[in-house]
Amino acid sequence: MRATASLAIAGLALLPTPASADWETTRWGMSPSETLASLDGATSHNPAPDEIYKEAGKSYTPLVVLPVEIEGVAGRASLLFDADDRLTFVLFKPDQIADCRTLQGALTQRHGAPDTLGAGSILISDWQDNGDAVKLTSAPSAAICNLSYSAG
């Protein structure tokens, strides 16, 4: 599946809001250079046009990437920035699509039962974590598993 479609599915109902908390060692609203300085192993990313996420007339660009393990699942985090180069949300994709079930279980154990929305084979699970929105979008039959973090 193309990156644009994956990002679009991950962003269903994700409306970025003003900075209120953080992800890992970053703070919402940081610049790309600030996030690079705060995350060990992060690198600059020059995204292809199909990697740019568009929502409600706004564009979000993955300018920083990081190999990371979340809830025991290895994958890659893309840090997306708005038109003013402010960190707006983080998208994590596991290396193995089969690990999506592990993520779902670990996030439920950590945050409690999610609010869920199903649309055909797509399941969207939402949690809150210290004011941040945590969203897992999964559709194993379509090889989709995206975990996103944004200011709540």
Side-chain angles (χ1 to χ4, degrees), residues 2-17 45 47-63 78-83 86 88-91 93 124 135 137 146 148-150:
R2 296 186 60 172
T4 301
S6 294
L7 286 173
I9 291 170
L12 288 173
L14 175 66
L15 297 175
T17 59
H45 180 65
D50 66 351
E51 292 180 282
I52 297 171
Y53 172 73
K54 296 185 183 203
E55 168 77 30
K58 296 181 180 179
S59 296
Y60 304 95
T61 309
L63 297 175
S78 297
L79 285 71
L80 286 96
F81 297 83
D82 64 14
R86 293 179 304 205
T88 304
F89 68 97
V90 176
L91 178 65
K93 291 184 179 188
I124 301 170
K135 181 182 299 295
T137 303
N146 296 311
S148 65
Y149 296 87
S150 63

Side-chain angles (χ1 to χ4, degrees), residues 21-26 28 39 66 68 70 77 79 90 132 149:
D22 55 36
W23 180 80
E24 298 287 329
T25 57
T26 65
W28 301 123
L39 292 167
L66 173 71
V68 66
I70 295 178
L79 285 71
V90 176
D132 287 338
Y149 296 87

Side-chain angles (χ1 to χ4, degrees), residues 8-16 53 89-91 103-119 122-138 146-152:
I9 291 170
L12 288 173
L14 175 66
L15 297 175
Y53 172 73
F89 68 97
V90 176
L91 178 65
L103 273 176
Q104 177 80 32
L107 290 165
T108 298
Q109 186 172 20
R110 176 178 301 276
H111 303 294
D115 291 329
T116 58
L117 171 67
I122 297 174
L123 178 65
I124 301 170
S125 301
D126 291 304
W127 297 269
Q128 288 292 311
D129 180 32
N130 294 321
D132 287 338
V134 179
K135 181 182 299 295
L136 180 65
T137 303
S138 63
N146 296 311
L147 175 61
S148 65
Y149 296 87
S150 63

